Amino acid sequence: MTGRNGEGEEIPLTSFGGSSWAGILIQPGATGLDMPPVGIFSDESPNLDGSIFRSARTLAREVMIPVYLYGIDRPTVNGLKRRLFQALNPKQGQSVLSFTEGDGTCRRLHAYYKGGMEGSEGTDSAGFSWAKYGLSFAAMDPYFYPARSESIKWIFGAGEPFLSRSKRFFPMQLSNGVLGGSEPLPVNNPGDVAGWPIWSLSGPIKSFTLTSPTGETIKASPPSNGSDLVPFGRTLTIDTRPGRKTVVTDLGVNYWSRLDVNPVFWAIEPGDTSAKISVVAGSGKATVTLSFDPRYASYV
């Protein structure tokens, strides 16, 4: 567990934190770590029994994690409490709850602390050198994320000779392949729900079209003066994530107005799918990089 939007002190909950045997340990009974809650929206008809389904959306997730604080003396357990107070303070940002399986798979949930550390001295919840809490969190984004993003890179433009002309034949070195035209390219989303991509397009690029399997398109036509849309050495980033949705270059230039009308920022569905990418490169090689964070319904 790490506070301050993942930039604070990391507090392990499954092992002691130092050479001494004082520490904070997670206890059995955690709740809210599997399927997130879902809101169902429906309409009632005066002429029909029941209701008519309209839509559904995933709601914020409530999580409770019981922990046990054990110190070698009173000052030690009080120090553990203060560490938790500082790490969980929601005014300092979200807490990052990390869950690691035996095979090394790690998934993270971002959540705000809501309560549970109010304390109850003199009961079976606390003692001279120990305390038990049921930490309560609210995850506004209810999905778990892996430690690393998925990333795929494609190269477009004029190719090079299959064998290098500038180097000796042995040891043999093959040139990198390039793509041309418009073709469906395989994409795999290992998550449970759709993921929102971040596209990075590095020039020289005169125009591009990014099309989903169902036809949604992000497109930019070539400039009327014949120049490159994305010049050599520059990178255009299209962030399709909800709440962000930006189209800017590495120099901070806003490219919203240079996209064709009515762009649709589409998501990558779970499983094996494809993206149809069309890039007209300038004089040289252009690259397109697709990155996204798979989203999981559970920590497992």
Side-chain angles (χ1 to χ4, degrees):
M1 178 174 60
T2 308
R4 300 187 179 184
N5 295 320
E7 298 180 356
E9 177 190 7
E10 182 178 358
I11 300 178
L13 300 182
T14 55
S15 62
F16 296 120
S19 58
S20 64
W21 52 305
I24 305 172
L25 296 175
I26 188 171
Q27 299 294 288
T31 61
L33 299 178
D34 283 319
M35 188 73 177
V38 178
I40 301 295
F41 301 91
S42 62
D43 293 333
E44 294 186 1
S45 174
N47 300 320
L48 298 173
D49 295 336
S51 301
I52 301 173
F53 174 81
R54 293 303 182 192
S55 64
R57 73 179 184 89
T58 305
L59 305 178
R61 179 193 296 266
E62 298 285 336
V63 174
M64 193 283 290
I65 300 179
V67 295
Y68 181 79
L69 283 65
Y70 190 85
I72 57 178
D73 51 26
R74 187 67 175 172
T76 304
V77 75
N78 287 339
L80 293 177
K81 290 181 181 181
R82 286 193 294 272
R83 288 177 61 192
L84 275 183
F85 296 157
Q86 296 171 7
L88 297 178
N89 186 356
K91 293 184 178 181
Q92 300 295 328
Q94 300 182 82
S95 297
V96 179
L97 309 179
S98 300
F99 302 84
T100 303
E101 286 290 302
D103 61 358
T105 301
C106 178
R107 292 180 184 169
R108 297 171 176 171
L109 180 71
H110 295 74
Y112 289 95
Y113 167 76
K114 287 185 60 178
M117 287 196 68
E118 292 79 11
S120 181
E121 296 291 336
T123 68
D124 60 355
S125 296
F128 182 79
S129 61
W130 61 273
K132 293 191 295 184
Y133 299 116
L135 305 180
S136 177
F137 297 88
M140 307 306 170
D141 182 347
Y143 294 110
F144 290 84
Y145 291 86
R148 298 179 181 177
S149 301
E150 297 287 321
S151 183
I152 310 172
K153 182 178 180 180
W154 298 284
I155 302 175
F156 296 82
E160 296 180 354
F162 181 69
L163 297 177
S164 175
R165 295 177 177 175
S166 60
K167 299 179 181 179
R168 293 182 299 175
F169 187 78
F170 292 106
M172 185 178 294
Q173 298 184 14
L174 305 181
S175 301
N176 291 328
V178 297
L179 299 171
S182 175
E183 52 190 283
L185 301 172
V187 178
N188 176 264
N189 178 2
D192 298 322
V193 296
W196 295 94
I198 300 175
W199 300 92
S200 297
L201 299 94
S202 298
I205 295 175
K206 292 189 175 295
S207 65
F208 64 86
T209 303
L210 312 173
T211 307
S212 75
T214 54
E216 294 92 350
T217 300
I218 305 171
K219 181 179 180 181
S221 298
S224 57
N225 60 7
S227 63
D228 289 336
L229 177 71
V230 182
F232 175 80
R234 300 273 68 87
T235 298
L236 174 65
T237 300
I238 303 175
D239 191 339
T240 70
R241 291 175 294 178
R244 306 190 186 189
K245 295 189 182 301
T246 57
V247 185
V248 296
T249 69
D250 54 316
L251 296 179
V253 180
N254 192 329
Y255 262 52
W256 265 107
S257 61
R258 307 192 192 189
L259 296 181
D260 288 14
V261 295
N262 299 323
V264 179
F265 284 8
W266 47 274
I268 301 173
E269 296 299 324
D272 292 323
T273 181
S274 64
K276 192 174 182 181
I277 302 176
S278 176
V279 172
V280 177
S283 179
K285 290 183 181 179
T287 63
V288 175
T289 302
L290 165 63
S291 302
F292 66 95
D293 292 320
R295 302 189 294 174
Y296 296 89
S298 172
Y299 72 103
V300 296

